[in-house]
Amino acid sequence: RYSTPVNSFGERSNDVGICCTRLILTLPFELKLTTHNGFKSGWGLKGMQYLGNLSDGSGLLVSSFGDRIKENDKVGLLLQLSDADLKIYIFHNERPLGLAFHVSSSYPKPLYPVVSFSSNGKVKISRVQQIPTSLERSPKEFTGVEGNWKIIDYPSHPECIDCKFAISKKSSNVYGLHAHVVNSMNCSLEYDPANDQWKSSPILRTRKGGPPEAMKKEDLICKLIADIQGLEAQGEQHLMIRTSGGDQVRLERFTVPAPQPVTQNIFD
């Protein structure tokens, strides 16, 4: 906890930059702005919080605004204050994530930066010397099979065109796959370099009901995932899935739209 309110310093009169330059040791780590009365222990602390998600300290406001904070990450906040509103921009490992909070009403003063841990940890906080030149969200860059993909060609089942997949690396040969039609579908994909083949784990799937046509499409996507035998990145923008049943499905990389900032005044 800082004893000095962030309103009292800054490179410009209405801009305050706070940079968490290095995280050392224990996770998880959370970065927040709060009021004097907002300081509480545990989930009772009320503030504008970033931990990959955005929250008010106890309740989720925006999921997956950025990546979950890891050891040795660098997180930056730019706080812009005016008589009319408050804006908070977030930077994670030098990547601009864009506008996270925008309160267009009276807000409490002063505000304090807070770093919280679930157990012992260390963090270094310093004020940046220069306001970042780029505040707009920078799309996350991916290589290989990682990234966000949508089906553009599925000869056996053209009704599945535009269905989307997200693939993220977990370890050297293991990836996580997420898809959604009516329900969320999640599994792991493991690559075996010995036989140059991929294999999916059992799919975890939520159990909401939906229109028959959508549920049929979801069953087809589940079968496609379960039958994955080959994944091949074709250039930077395309991915080919080959299944044990002989299907070849072509996907194209796409950019996920930026999440909207939180506009509610959480201190009301």
Side-chain angles (χ1 to χ4, degrees), residues 56-260:
D56 62 6
S58 60
L60 177 67
L61 299 174
V62 177
S63 64
S64 302
F65 189 83
D67 293 330
R68 189 171 181 84
I69 299 174
K70 306 182 300 298
E71 187 173 358
N72 294 320
D73 276 7
K74 181 188 292 186
V75 178
L77 297 181
L78 175 66
L79 174 61
Q80 292 184 331
L81 304 174
S82 72
D83 293 336
D85 62 2
L86 170 155
K87 295 180 180 179
I88 298 177
Y89 295 86
I90 294 178
F91 306 81
H92 194 160
N93 291 332
E94 312 296 346
R95 177 191 168 209
L97 298 182
L99 184 61
F101 293 89
H102 185 192
V103 179
S104 299
S105 59
S106 60
Y107 52 87
K109 304 179 186 69
L111 295 170
Y112 298 83
V114 181
V115 177
S116 61
F117 297 86
S118 61
S119 56
N120 292 336
K122 293 181 180 180
V123 68
K124 180 180 179 181
I125 300 179
S126 62
R127 181 172 44 151
V128 297
Q129 300 303 312
Q130 184 176 359
I131 301 299
T133 56
S134 177
L135 302 182
E136 296 300 316
R137 186 180 182 90
S138 173
K140 191 171 182 180
E141 296 183 357
F142 298 100
T143 59
V145 302
E146 276 195 288
N148 300 293
W149 305 94
K150 65 178 179 180
I151 295 175
I152 59 172
D153 185 35
Y154 192 172
S156 299
H157 297 288
E159 64 270 34
C160 292
I161 287 176
D162 287 334
C163 287
K164 297 178 174 64
F165 296 80
I167 300 176
S168 57
K169 192 169 187 176
K170 291 184 174 181
S171 60
S172 58
N173 289 319
V174 180
Y175 293 75
L177 183 148
H178 170 78
H180 183 273
V181 180
V182 175
N183 291 279
S184 290
M185 295 161 276
N186 295 279
C187 73
S188 293
L189 295 173
E190 185 170 2
Y191 175 64
D192 183 354
N195 58 18
D196 191 27
Q197 288 190 352
W198 293 75
K199 184 178 180 180
S200 61
S201 68
I203 299 169
L204 298 177
R205 180 179 177 185
T206 55
R207 292 296 180 184
K208 293 191 297 183
E213 185 176 333
M215 296 305 295
K216 180 181 178 181
K217 183 188 296 185
E218 182 170 293
D219 289 340
L220 291 171
I221 293 298
C222 271
K223 179 169 173 48
L224 170 62
I225 295 170
D227 290 347
I228 288 176
Q229 196 171 65
L231 281 181
E232 179 188 353
Q234 298 183 331
E236 292 296 322
Q237 297 301 317
H238 294 96
L239 178 73
M240 182 67 76
I241 294 177
R242 295 182 175 86
T243 72
S244 56
D247 281 317
Q248 295 192 34
V249 183
R250 188 170 171 83
L251 298 90
E252 184 176 65
R253 196 182 293 280
F254 75 97
T255 300
V256 176
Q260 295 298 304

Side-chain angles (χ1 to χ4, degrees), residues 46 103 105-108 263-268:
K46 192 76 169 178
V103 179
S105 59
S106 60
Y107 52 87
T263 56
Q264 70 188 77
N265 190 338
I266 66 168
F267 299 107
D268 285 346

Side-chain angles (χ1 to χ4, degrees), residues 5-17 79 127-129 131:
V6 297
N7 311 60
S8 65
F9 58 83
E11 191 168 81
R12 298 202 297 266
S13 60
N14 289 331
D15 288 346
V16 177
L79 174 61
R127 181 172 44 151
V128 297
Q129 300 303 312
I131 301 299

